[in-house]
């Protein structure tokens, strides 16, 4: 019997002598092999829906670095596409979607049971990976949290302050809540299908959770995530869930207990010492090196990496960045981070 995978041990609450490590956006444009496969696919969305090539790019950072986890290569915006939104990517700018601003727009969305027609290739990628990964590597599936995905569906693109979603929430509560509910139900089915295909852990990305304050955070970030986790736990007991309510600040405190998440991922706006004191006592934490160190490297990278490992060594911890690695990162700096974490 091989020892249980390190990521699963940390997620079960074990304090390990060396934290397991993976990296958000580990398959991405900073890697020349990713850029080559993306060119072969034609564009980003074609890559997501080509199971063979999506499998290949998921495996690339595992081969190069030996990370402890692989994250399915896909995107949080595939679910709105599967629900009938138009989706395309503008090079150098990011995603564009058809917008929903009223009841008529909401009524055009497909029912949840129709999502699988579009998402079947994603489940095939998961099945490929379950058969292809080295036995010590954990396979993570993922989806966006309803609020974050809704911000893109309402605005039709990324926005600095999520203004259009906040406006719809204030001006047309019933339509806003109907969008959140459809996404919550769709996410349950999407993640459940990823687990059935072989995902061993799932992560819920709430990248814009920090723009919800007070009661809004509880209603639109915490509550939908809690509903998703509760349902997944009922259907798939024992499959761990990582929640990432990015920039939640004080709302990170108690998030494990309230949501039922096995692990709370934290961004780099909070210090590891603060996380050790206020969040880690509730369970496993993941994070939180600034991604800019993957661009700048050097002694600062080594010092900040050591500081995080040291601060979080008394409890369950999965080492990661505070947000995704950026295209201008140097692949050698990723190796330096890994060597530093593993004490090589
Ligand atoms: O982490 C991984 O390696 C797995 C794959 C993954 C991608 N996107 C691939 C991707 C994951 C987990 C995501 C999540 C995602 N997608 C989030 C949540 C995490 C976060 O970053 O806050 C969000 C908000 C999106 C939506 C999205 N997708 C945006 C805003 C963009 C454009 C910005 C950018 O970085 O270009 C994308 C595109 C995207 N998703 C790329 C990748 C590798 C770059 C596309 C390319 O190759 O051109």
């Amino acid at each position: 019997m091989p020892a249980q995978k390190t990521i699963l041990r940390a997620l079960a609450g074990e304090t390990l002598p060396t934290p397991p490590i993976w990296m958000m956006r580990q398959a991405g444009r900073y890697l020349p092999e990713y850029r080559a496969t993306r060119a072969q696919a034609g564009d980003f969305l074609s890559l997501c829906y080509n199971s063979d090539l999506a499998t290949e790019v998921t495996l690339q950072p595992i081969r190069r670095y030996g990370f402890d986890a692989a994250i399915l290569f896909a995107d949080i915006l595939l679910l709105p596409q599967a629900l009938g939104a138009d989706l395309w990517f503008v090079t150098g700018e990011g995603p564009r979607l058809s917008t929903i601003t009223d009841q008529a727009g909401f009524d055009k969305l497909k029912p949840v049971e129709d999502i699988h027609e579009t998402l079947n290739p994603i489940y095939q990628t998961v099945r490929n990976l379950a058969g292809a990964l080295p036995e010590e590597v954990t396979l993570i599936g993922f989806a966006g949290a309803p609020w974050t995905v809704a911000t893109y569906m309402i605005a039709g693109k990324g926005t600095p302050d999520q203004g259009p979603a906040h406006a719809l929430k204030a001006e047309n509560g019933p339509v806003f809540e109907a969008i959140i509910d459809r996404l919550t139900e769709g996410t349950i089915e999407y993640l459940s299908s990823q687990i059935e295909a072989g995902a061993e852990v799932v992560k819920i990305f709430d990248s814009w959770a920090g723009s919800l304050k007070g009661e809004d955070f509880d209603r639109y970030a915490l509550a939908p995530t809690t509903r998703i986790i509760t349902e997944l736990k009922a259907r798939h007991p024992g499959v761990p869930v990582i929640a990432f309510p990015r920039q939640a600040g004080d709302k990170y405190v108690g998030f494990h207990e309230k949501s039922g998440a096995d692990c709370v991922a934290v961004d780099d706006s909070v210090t590891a010492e603060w996380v050790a004191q206020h969040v880690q006592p509730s369970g496993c934490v993941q994070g939180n090196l600034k991604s800019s160190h993957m661009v700048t490297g050097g002694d600062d990278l080594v010092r900040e990496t050591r500081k995080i490992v040291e601060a979080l060594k008394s409890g369950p911890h999965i080492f990661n960045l505070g947000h995704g690695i950026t295209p201008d990162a140097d692949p050698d700096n990723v190796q330096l981070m890994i060597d530093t974490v593993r004490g090589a």
Side-chain angles (χ1 to χ4, degrees):
M1 276 284 285
Q4 205 197 357
K5 303 179 184 193
T6 50
I7 295 269
L8 297 177
R9 288 170 62 188
L11 288 169
E14 205 180 316
T15 304
L16 297 168
T18 300
I21 177 169
W22 68 280
M23 195 173 66
M24 283 185 267
R25 292 278 171 96
Q26 62 190 22
R29 287 161 292 179
Y30 74 105
L31 286 179
E33 58 269 38
Y34 169 84
R35 296 195 297 268
T37 310
R38 199 186 93 147
Q40 197 186 335
D43 58 51
F44 171 66
L45 280 177
S46 307
L47 178 53
C48 291
Y49 288 112
N50 181 322
S51 309
D52 290 339
L53 295 182
T55 302
E56 166 57 23
V57 292
T58 306
L59 293 171
Q60 285 168 350
I62 307 303
R63 284 191 208 114
R64 185 190 267 255
Y65 298 114
F67 281 117
D68 296 298
I71 183 158
L72 163 69
F73 189 83
D75 197 83
I76 65 165
L77 300 178
L78 304 186
L79 178 63
Q81 190 176 34
L83 285 168
D86 293 329
L87 172 68
W88 67 102
F89 280 79
V90 179
T91 312
E93 290 185 33
R96 293 289 182 275
L97 296 91
S98 45
T99 59
I100 302 181
T101 50
D102 56 15
Q103 184 71 42
F106 175 78
D107 289 341
K108 287 192 208 132
L109 291 180
K110 296 184 194 172
V112 166
E113 54 270 25
D114 287 3
I115 64 172
H116 304 300
E117 288 172 36
T118 303
L119 297 171
N120 270 323
I122 311 306
Y123 311 144
Q124 184 57 45
T125 306
V126 176
R127 279 191 291 273
N128 292 351
L129 287 165
L133 282 168
E135 66 179 6
E136 67 280 7
V137 178
T138 301
L139 177 56
I140 303 176
F142 74 93
W147 160 250
T148 287
V149 176
T151 65
Y152 289 94
M153 291 175 85
I154 295 164
K157 59 183 179 181
T159 47
D161 58 358
Q162 297 74 58
H166 284 287
L168 187 67
K169 167 161 63 63
E171 288 153 19
N172 197 339
V175 167
F176 175 78
E177 295 199 357
I179 296 170
I180 295 284
D181 283 349
R182 181 68 55 88
L183 286 170
T184 302
E185 286 150 23
T187 303
I188 291 166
E189 296 309 320
Y190 183 35
L191 289 177
S192 203
S193 297
Q194 291 182 31
I195 292 168
E196 281 156 21
E200 299 171 278
V201 173
V202 293
K203 178 167 174 182
I204 302 169
F205 285 87
D206 211 348
S207 304
W208 300 118
S211 82
L212 291 167
K213 303 294 176 201
E215 211 173 283
D216 270 358
F217 181 94
D218 297 341
R219 283 167 75 170
Y220 303 121
L222 177 61
T225 294
T226 305
R227 193 175 151 205
I228 293 164
I229 295 174
T230 305
E231 185 60 29
L232 290 176
K233 294 280 179 190
R235 293 190 198 182
H236 310 281
V239 173
V241 181
I242 304 172
F244 183 34
R246 191 169 74 91
Q247 301 208 320
D250 284 348
K251 295 282 194 183
Y252 281 132
V253 182
F255 201 89
H256 285 94
E257 291 89 338
K258 289 180 189 156
S259 69
D262 301 271
C263 176
V264 175
V266 292
D267 70 274
D268 60 37
S269 67
V270 289
T271 67
E273 292 77 12
W274 182 86
V275 172
Q277 217 181 337
H278 298 284
V279 190
Q280 200 181 31
S282 302
C284 185
V285 293
Q286 177 180 282
N288 72 338
L289 185 69
K290 269 195 198 347
S291 359
S292 58
H293 288 296
M294 299 301 101
V295 181
T296 53
D299 293 344
D300 284 359
L301 182 164
V302 172
R303 193 186 55 247
E304 293 305 311
T305 299
R306 285 196 182 131
K307 222 160 99 179
I308 291 167
V309 171
E310 182 63 26
L312 296 169
K313 72 177 181 193
S314 306
H317 175 214
I318 297 170
F319 195 92
N320 205 309
L321 303 177
H323 202 190
I325 188 169
T326 50
D328 54 345
D330 180 344
D332 290 343
N333 290 334
V334 175
Q335 189 64 57
L336 180 59
M337 169 184 70
I338 296 171
D339 290 346
T340 304
V341 169
R342 292 182 175 161

